[in-house]
Structures are given as structure tokens and as C-alpha cells.
Amino acid sequence: MRSNPPIPILLDISGGPNVYDGVRVDYSGADVNAATFLAVLAGNASAVPPGSGSGRVIASGPYDRIFVFYSDHGSPGVLGMPSGSFLYADQLVAALQRKHARGGYKEAVLYVEACESGSMFEGLLPPDIAVYATTASNAFESSWGTYCPGMTPGPSPLFSTCLGDLYSVAWMENAELCDLSHETLMTQYDIVRNRTSRNYTYTMGSHVMQYGSLVITREVAGDYQGMRNRGGGGDHPDGDAASCRAGPGPHPSPSPSPYPSSSSFSSSALTSTSTSHRRDDVSAGGGDEGAVRGAVGTLLRRGGDGDDAVDAAAAAAAAAAIAAGAGTQMDTVAAGEGEGAASREDTMQGAQSWRGRRQGRRRRAAEAEAEAEAATATAEAHLRMRQSGSLEQRDADLAPLRYRQVYGRTPEDRHEAQVALEREVSRRKAVDAAALATATSLLNHHPELTLKVAAAASLAAAKPTNAAVTTTTPGNTLYSSDASNGGLVTMLAKELTNGPMGRPAPGRPLVDDWDCLRAMVAAWGDVCGPMDQYTMRHTRLLANLCNAGLAPALLAQSLKNAVAAGFGGEGVGGEGVGRIF
């Protein structure tokens, strides 16, 4: 933006130092494109376009570990680049497979920050090529920006942009704060997932995912992010041990959950201590100690904001009460054994055994209380680490305009921001309207497509009935219509444009024919201009058309029909395209 400083400045936290100083940049600007990225990753210096950057590549061998962090805009099946065409999921995975086959690395770890970034690996990345990947979001949702104008903390007055993305900020601040020579990749994943999901509530946050060879998660993060990070770095006030522990919540395989689910416990679990099932009870959180852990875990899982905040005192009290209750029952049993003893010696031995059991119960209760306090400190540390705000990544570009519209220094500045904001919002509405009109046109002219979309959307039939039909978009917005042909087609067009239609899914990638998707993107570009960081969201529509067997040429014709029908507006393809859609 025009109000940003002209010199290269890169901040990893609001108010922090410029970490760009002293960094050797091999490729920048137009040199950063899909072809160069793939050549660098493959270690193929001859494939780097002439005159591009330094020409350096990852010339790694069978004993080397590779760490790749990518951050840019994304959409179903693709990652954006500063220049040139998209990086497609099949291209990325194929490059990794070829490098693995040549012995080009020992293990590789990829962290990917982008919207719908899970679609880059879902159903594609095999577990046997020694690659572990995590993504900021699953295959169907936006990632989230943070440290934006108007947030706390936010950028300095020098900037009118968001400083980071929620997933990226989470893992980089963890790497700076914690001892990476001890923290495993799985622990870091857990901490990042907790923060990015807002304590697993997913309000203003996304689902951090993992793919590939999960055995790599047992290794320490320092093997990939630097062994010099020994904890306590930066100016963060929360750089304590608690923020470097995985908080309570659902843990992914292969790490077991620290607390069994609340459904594992019932009233009988607090009293039954059958010897024949003791081994299973303990492993599943049963028995007296298991009951304490379960009750404390249930309380800790409620950790959140406001009324649901973690209460260490309540957790400790619950643990002590359960322990005391179990102790009372066992005391009664011990007393009965003493009364039925045949001799004073037996009674004394029974009393000693009773005292030993009581001491054991007290010790376990104290341990449970200490465990509850430690877990509570961890949860509260993660709550403090969460910044005050975040917003969907595709709205992050609008945040500076919205901020200037309200807090601009002069009336002229505020008016200028308002005009720019209205223009961009109108353009985005035109993009969405054009995509929906295109889908509607295709459905009207290709009955076989209507049948396929109806089947994929799990509709009862694709013909008119006497009942109203309802479908749900990924955003949980319900669309209903009467049983007219027009209403049904409109509903199916929305499903075709925005719905996942079963892809991707475990073992099934976004599309089977990636060349078709590339041809669809090219067809869109021929009519509307290149897809930009907002327009690219409609690769979902293009992938659905490929899976339905539609030819790219038919998409191009329908886009032209949308133009003739008056849908769209100036610059639908992106800033500087200068086309009328």
C-alpha cells in the first residue's frame, strides 16, 4: 500500500525489530514464481530461469533434512505466487516424490500458510516418502490474518496492513519462545493448533491439519527450525514454560490424549475398582486415579474465555473431593476387615495396610492437584498468547481500508478509504455473481451436469417435486426454494459454485485430472483475466466442473454468456487487468 514504508521491513511481532536486516534473499519480486520454486526445491539449478535471483537451489542429499515454510494466498488445489501461474498440488507432491526417489533428502517438513491449504495434500501426499506437512487450514476453509490495523496488538502507524497470519504467527512465536532442542514437532503442532483454533472453538480461527509421515513428529523441532532456539527469546511477556506445553484438548494420532473423553466416565467409574479389569481401567483412565484425572480433565477442557475460563481452584477441589470420597469407601472396607480379624496381630497388620493405602491415596490426590495446577497454568498461558482479533485471510486486504475509513487522519483520507472500500467490495460481489451465473448457465444447458451435481449434493432427485428442497453450503447458510425448475437450478448452482461435492476426502484428492483444472483456470483467464487473490477462491467451481466431466471450452463459453447477460464489472480478474466481465 502507498502508506507503507518504502524500505524492506519484515516484522515477526508488533513493535518488534526488523528481522529483514542481514537476511540473504536469493529470489524476490517477479523471480518468485512456481517454476523457480519447483526448480529450487528439486535442486535443479539448470531449471532456474536465466537471470532469476542468485540461482541457488536446495542441493541436498540422503542425509539432509529440509524445512520449507510457504505463506501466500491459496484456494482449492493451488497456492498463489507473486508472479506467474499458480503452484498446483499435484506439481508440489510430484516434485517431492521425485526428489525422494533420487535420494535428495533424509526427511522433509513443510509448513503451509494459505486458505484451503489442506487441499494441497489431502488424498495426495503419501506416507512413505519421508515428508511431514502441516497446513494453516483444512481443504474447505479460509486461513486467518492477525496483527491487523485496529487490533491489539496491531501494526505501528507506519503500516496499513496485517503483519501476520494466525498460523504463521503461532508457530514462529513458539519457535522463538520455546526450547526447540527438546520440543517435538508434535508438541509444536499441538500448541499451534490450539492457538489457531482459539482453544478448539474455531471461532475466528481454522483447523490446522497434518499429512504424510507422522512418525517424523517424534523428532525435535530444532532439527528443522534451528537448535539455537533454546527458549525465552524475543520480547514476549508470556515466554514462560507453561506456554511451551501442549494445552488440554483433543490430541492427534500418534500422541495419546492426556485426558480421556468425558463419556468414558460415569457414576460407577468412581466406585468400581474390579481387580480383573484394573489394567484396562488404568490405561483408559479408570480406577480411583483415573476418576480423578477424568474429572480434572473435564474441567480443564472447558478452558476458554469469560465464564468458561479455567478455574485451578475448582479443578483442585474436585480432585481432592473425588479422592476423599474414594478414600471413605476404602476406609470402610479396611475397617470391616479389621473387625473380622482373628487376632490382634492381624488387626495391627490390617491397620498398617490401611495407613499405607491412605497415604497412597493422599499422595495420589496431591499429585492430581499438582497436575491440575500445571495444566491450568498451561491453558491460561495459551489464552494469554491469543491476540485480541483475527479475520479471514481474504478479508485481510480490506482491514486497512476499513480502519482508515473510521480513523483516517483527515476527512479526505477517510473519504478516499471509503470509496476504495466500496469499489473493492462491489468488485468482489461482481466476481461471485459472475461465477454463480456461469454455473447456472452450465446447468441450464447441460442436463447431465445437473444430475451429477444433484447426486453429489445428496439430493433425492434432480427433477421437480412437490416438496421444498434445502441444501447447505460450507458456510452453513441454508438455501431453500420451491419445487420449480428455476429454483432447483439456482440451488444446484450455489452447490456447484461453493460446495465441496465430496472432494477432497481421505484418499481422494480435489480432482483426478489436474490438467483439466489447469485448463479451466486458463479458460477463466482468457475471458476474465488472471485470477487474483480473491478471484482464485472459485477454483472450487472449476474443480467441481472437472470432476463432473465438463470440458474447459464449455466454461469459457458460459463465462462469455455471463458477460453478455451483464454480470460482472470492471477488473473482475484483478487489479490492472482492465477487462469488463
Side-chain angles (χ1 to χ4, degrees), residues 294-316:
V296 174
T298 300
L299 285 173
L300 292 177
R301 279 194 298 274
R302 293 177 59 246
D305 297 322
D307 295 336
D308 289 334
V310 177
D311 188 337

Side-chain angles (χ1 to χ4, degrees), residues 504-528:
R508 301 186 71 193
L510 177 72
V511 292
D512 295 321
D513 187 349
W514 288 92
D515 288 334
C516 173
L517 181 58
R518 279 183 277 273
M520 287 284 186
V521 171
W524 180 293
D526 290 341
V527 178
C528 314

Side-chain angles (χ1 to χ4, degrees), residues 69-133:
F69 169 54
Y70 169 96
S71 180
D72 204 310
H73 290 279
S75 65
V78 302
L79 297 176
M81 286 285 170
S83 66
S85 62
F86 296 142
L87 174 64
Y88 290 81
D90 68 320
Q91 295 173 331
L92 175 59
V93 173
L96 293 168
Q97 289 175 311
R98 289 191 297 268
K99 193 174 183 72
H100 177 264
R102 293 195 302 267
Y105 61 86
K106 178 182 180 181
E107 292 165 336
V109 171
L110 283 73
Y111 281 21
V112 180
E113 168 71 70
C115 294
E116 289 98 7
S117 47
S119 65
M120 296 296 294
F121 303 106
E122 187 72 64
L124 285 174
L125 184 63
D128 59 353
I129 62 170
V131 174
Y132 170 66

